[in-house]
Amino acid sequence: MRVLVTGATGFVGSRLVPTLLARGHDLVALVRDADGYAAPEGVTVVEGDLLEPDTLPPAFELRGETVDAAYYLVHSMDGGPGYEERDRNCATNFVEAASAAGVDRLVYLGGLGEDREELSEHLRSRREVERILGEGTPALTTLRAAIIIGAGSASFEVIAGLARRLPVMVTPKWVDTLCQPIAIADVVGYLAGVLDVPETAAETFEIGGPEVLTYAEILRRTRRQLGGGLRIVRVPVLSPELSARWLRLVTDVNPYLARSLVEGLRNTVIVEDDRVREFVPVERTPFELAVARALTDSRNAERSRLSALPGVSP
């Protein structure tokens, strides 16, 4: 197929692009800075901005033909306050351009969380983007995931940062919230797989790894792989603001992202409907293996970064 990928330079998109290429698809990557994107061979790069609608139409065309499908892998949470409005405007501009171009299918990666619960600000925004994309003429396939385990995942980098630095944690009761983390390789497998199955069009699926864990278990198991033990001391009250300040003290996450992540920890995020496995048979990665790969990739990325600095030996 002819396929457009937005967010091609991001955590998920940068892994999805080579997978789609390997499956024989012809790709267009929409990026804000074409000069800063080292596109894999065979990828057509279009420079544009989702906040500037006039720049989008060229991305939906490849060699004079309209693309068959488009992936929407963009969100603005790490951009600070006001990200909900930015996400709303980006999604609106994108789906209007896709509809005008006559694209058949859209694929979106959203967040797990029960609609009946009081969702965090972040999850509400992801759900709103999902609704906006679904209002266009292309058939929308949505995949909803919880924490994605992989080097470069904002949520996992916070977990790894905490596990790496703290043998003892004083935490609120959110550490007992249930979560179903999923390896980035599995996410990419599902994203690429639904494109090959027409029956997944206009459907919403939940995706997760093979285990349901509490955040306390996720932290303990991650620290164990780093060679240490972890003691968690629960306290009855610790506001999101205090929790976010604490995260900023012991990890490198930016302040606004820290607050958004902490607010999301109150929501149970587990798969209630695993129908996707009937259509896309992904062999799910065990949690420990996913963490081991993520930590290895993080170390390798850091070594590469250091080796690129003049006069620095990693």
Side-chain angles (χ1 to χ4, degrees), residues 147-149 156 159 179-183 186 209-225 284-294:
I147 289 178
I148 300 176
I149 306 298
F156 179 70
I159 289 168
C179 175
Q180 193 164 350
I182 181 170
D186 299 356
E211 295 177 81
V212 174
L213 305 168
T214 65
Y215 286 104
E217 291 171 318
I218 289 172
L219 287 163
R220 284 196 185 98
R221 292 194 189 187
T222 301
R223 181 161 175 83
R224 191 179 305 138
Q225 292 214 26
R284 298 183 297 175
T285 307
F287 177 76
E288 270 78 7
L289 179 56
V291 171
R293 288 173 174 170

Side-chain angles (χ1 to χ4, degrees), residues 124-195:
R124 286 200 309 272
S125 177
R126 300 301 289 270
R127 205 56 53 84
E128 182 181 25
V129 167
E130 182 181 320
R131 177 187 59 76
I132 292 170
L133 295 177
E135 290 175 348
T137 55
L140 174 66
T141 301
T142 298
L143 298 178
R144 295 176 177 173
I147 289 178
I148 300 176
I149 306 298
S153 162
S155 298
F156 179 70
E157 294 299 338
V158 168
I159 289 168
L162 289 173
R164 187 176 289 113
R165 300 178 188 184
L166 297 179
V168 178
M169 296 185 199
V170 178
T171 68
K173 292 182 177 179
W174 54 250
V175 294
D176 296 319
T177 302
L178 292 175
C179 175
Q180 193 164 350
I182 181 170
I184 180 59
D186 299 356
V187 173
V188 170
Y190 284 122
L191 284 169
V194 295
L195 201 61

Side-chain angles (χ1 to χ4, degrees), residues 16-314:
L16 178 63
V17 165
T19 300
L20 292 175
L21 282 174
R23 293 186 177 215
H25 299 297
D26 296 322
L27 297 192
V28 182
L30 175 66
V31 299
R32 283 185 291 182
D33 178 15
D35 291 335
Y37 176 46
E41 185 177 354
V43 175
T44 299
V45 180
V46 174
E47 190 169 88
D49 191 325
L50 289 170
L51 290 174
E52 299 179 13
D54 292 343
T55 68
L56 301 182
F60 291 92
E61 187 175 294
L62 182 60
R63 295 188 291 275
E65 299 284 344
T66 300
V67 297
D68 302 298
Y71 285 88
Y72 192 82
L73 305 173
V74 176
H75 66 89
S76 309
M77 186 170 68
D78 58 358
Y83 73 84
E84 307 100 310
E85 184 177 359
R86 288 194 297 275
D87 275 349
R88 187 181 307 122
N89 292 336
C90 286
T92 299
N93 293 338
F94 178 81
V95 75
E96 287 179 354
S99 298
V103 177
D104 293 330
R105 292 189 63 181
L106 301 181
V107 182
Y108 171 61
L109 179 62
L112 268 178
E114 287 294 325
D115 288 328
R116 64 176 177 267
E117 292 185 22
E118 184 183 348
L119 296 179
S120 67
E121 186 179 84
H122 168 55
L123 281 176
R124 286 200 309 272
S125 177
R126 300 301 289 270
R127 205 56 53 84
E128 182 181 25
V129 167
E130 182 181 320
R131 177 187 59 76
I132 292 170
L133 295 177
E135 290 175 348
T137 55
L140 174 66
T141 301
T142 298
L143 298 178
R144 295 176 177 173
I147 289 178
I148 300 176
I149 306 298
S153 162
S155 298
F156 179 70
E157 294 299 338
V158 168
I159 289 168
L162 289 173
R164 187 176 289 113
R165 300 178 188 184
L166 297 179
V168 178
M169 296 185 199
V170 178
T171 68
K173 292 182 177 179
W174 54 250
V175 294
D176 296 319
T177 302
L178 292 175
C179 175
Q180 193 164 350
I182 181 170
I184 180 59
D186 299 356
V187 173
V188 170
Y190 284 122
L191 284 169
V194 295
L195 201 61
D196 298 328
V197 185
E199 292 84 359
T200 62
E203 292 281 356
T204 297
F205 299 104
E206 299 176 345
I207 59 175
E211 295 177 81
V212 174
L213 305 168
T214 65
Y215 286 104
E217 291 171 318
I218 289 172
L219 287 163
R220 284 196 185 98
R221 292 194 189 187
T222 301
R223 181 161 175 83
R224 191 179 305 138
Q225 292 214 26
L226 291 164
L230 173 64
R231 183 184 174 209
I232 292 177
V233 180
R234 293 164 177 79
V235 293
V237 178
L238 192 59
S239 71
E241 181 60 35
L242 288 175
S243 294
R245 288 183 182 180
W246 173 65
L247 276 183
R248 297 201 299 271
L249 285 174
V250 297
T251 70
D252 298 325
V253 67
N254 78 53
Y256 197 77
L257 183 57
R259 174 65 184 253
S260 298
L261 291 172
V262 167
E263 286 183 343
L265 295 177
R266 69 171 182 256
N267 294 114
T268 297
V269 281
I270 60 176
V271 173
E272 302 285 356
D273 178 0
D274 65 355
R275 289 180 303 123
V276 69
R277 300 182 66 197
E278 300 172 11
F279 300 102
V280 185
V282 170
E283 185 174 348
R284 298 183 297 175
T285 307
F287 177 76
E288 270 78 7
L289 179 56
V291 171
R293 288 173 174 170
L295 294 176
T296 298
D297 289 346
S298 291
R299 285 190 289 266
N300 290 339
E302 181 62 13
R303 289 192 188 101
S304 297
R305 185 187 70 81
L306 291 175
S307 64
L309 296 176
V312 177
S313 178

